[in-house]
Amino acid sequence: ILGIGACLGLTAVAPAIGRYFRSDEVGAVVGVTALSFLISPWSVVPSAILQRQFRFKAASLADFLGGITSATLAIVLAFRGYSYWALIYTQLAGLFVDMAAKVVFSRWRPSFRFSWPAFKELSSFGLGIQTKRLLEYGAQNLDNLLVGRTIGIAALGLYDKAFVTTQHLLQTLNLGPAVSFRIFSILQDDPARFRRAYQKVLLTIGIIAIPRLAFCIAVAPQLFEVMYGRNWLAAVPAFQ
C-alpha cells in the first residue's frame, strides 16, 4: 500500500520536479522510475527471511542475478540507441529479477490477510526506522537538489557520478554488514568477546580502507578514464 501511494505520488509531482530542475526529461524519468515502488516492496519480507535463516548464498545469488540482468540489458539498450532511458529500464528490470529470485529462494507467499495486533507490534519499531531512513535520504540528497537547481543537470550528472563511485568503494570495505551484524548478535551476551570482535572488524577495515582510498585518490584521473571514459574526467575533483 505504501509502495502504491509512493508511486502515484511521484507520478503526480513528476512534472513539478521537471520544472524545478528546468528539464522536461527529468520529469519524464521520475514518472517512469516511480514504478520501482511497485516492485521493491515485494522483496522486503523474502530478504528478511533469507537473512534470518543465514542463507547469505541465496541472497547474494539473487543480488547477482539482478545485477547481471541490469548490466546486460543496459549494454543492449545503449547500443540500440535508448540513451539515458537504457539506465532507467535496466534499473526496473534488475529490481524485478532480484525480487523474483528472493521470493523463489525464500519460498514466501503473501497471504493477503491483515492483522491489527501484528501491525501495532511492528509499527512502534518500524515507524522509527522508516523515519530515520527518510531523514537519512533527505540529508544525503539535499546536495543533489541544490546542485541540479543552481548549476544544471549536466553538472549534477558529474557530481552524482563522483558520489556514487565513492559509495561503491566504501561498500566494498564494510566486510559485509549483514554478516557482521549476525556475528555481533550471537556475541551480544558476551561483552568481552563482542568488544574484541568489534575492534578486529574496525582494525581490519582501517588497515584495508585507508591505503586503498589513498591510492584511488592518487590515481583518480586514470581510474575514471578506464571505468567511464574521458567524458567523465570533470567528475574527478568531486570524487577526490
Side-chain angles (χ1 to χ4, degrees):
I1 292 173
L2 290 174
I4 293 173
C7 178
L8 295 177
L10 272 177
T11 303
V13 302
I17 295 176
R19 289 193 296 270
Y20 174 84
F21 285 108
R22 303 185 183 94
S23 172
D24 294 335
E25 291 84 355
V26 171
V29 165
V30 170
V32 175
T33 53
L35 295 174
S36 62
F37 285 95
L38 300 180
I39 302 173
S40 55
W42 297 98
S43 65
V44 174
V45 173
S47 296
I49 292 175
L50 294 175
Q51 287 191 26
R52 189 164 68 174
Q53 295 176 348
F54 295 90
R55 297 175 60 191
F56 300 114
K57 183 178 180 180
S60 299
L61 179 58
D63 293 337
F64 172 77
L65 292 174
I68 199 68
T69 299
S70 179
T72 304
L73 188 60
I75 295 173
V76 173
L77 293 181
F79 271 109
R80 294 183 65 88
Y82 279 77
S83 186
Y84 57 86
W85 284 107
L87 299 176
I88 309 304
Y89 296 145
T90 54
Q91 179 187 17
L92 295 175
L95 277 176
F96 181 82
V97 172
D98 177 79
M99 176 272 295
K102 288 178 178 176
V103 169
V104 171
F105 294 155
S106 66
R107 298 183 178 87
W108 171 75
R109 300 294 181 272
S111 63
F112 295 103
R113 288 184 288 108
F114 190 81
S115 170
W116 277 109
F119 176 77
K120 292 178 181 179
E121 180 181 355
L122 291 174
S123 61
S124 60
F125 175 77
L127 287 176
I129 294 294
Q130 187 66 14
T131 302
K132 170 182 173 292
R133 288 178 176 175
L134 289 174
L135 291 174
E136 283 183 344
Y137 182 83
Q140 292 174 358
N141 288 275
L142 178 61
D143 52 348
N144 291 331
L145 293 176
L146 296 175
V147 171
R149 172 69 176 181
T150 58
I151 308 180
I153 294 299
L156 177 59
L158 295 170
Y159 178 81
D160 183 69
K161 181 63 70 176
F163 182 82
V164 170
T165 305
T166 304
Q167 289 298 106
H168 286 327
L169 283 173
L170 294 176
Q171 288 172 6
T172 63
L173 299 173
N174 59 18
L175 301 182
V179 178
S180 300
F181 179 77
R182 292 301 174 187
I183 294 174
F184 294 149
S185 298
I186 295 172
L187 301 178
Q188 63 179 323
D189 295 326
D190 189 340
R193 290 184 64 196
F194 184 95
R195 188 177 299 108
R196 288 198 301 271
Y198 190 68
Q199 290 173 344
K200 287 180 180 179
V201 169
L202 292 181
L203 179 61
T204 303
I205 292 176
I207 292 174
I208 296 174
I210 294 176
R212 184 174 180 178
L213 291 177
F215 175 78
C216 290
I217 291 173
V219 300
Q222 294 79 10
L223 184 68
F224 269 65
E225 184 172 357
V226 170
M227 291 196 303
Y228 307 125
R230 298 188 61 83
N231 290 337
W232 292 95
L233 289 180
V236 168
F239 168 77
Q240 292 173 320

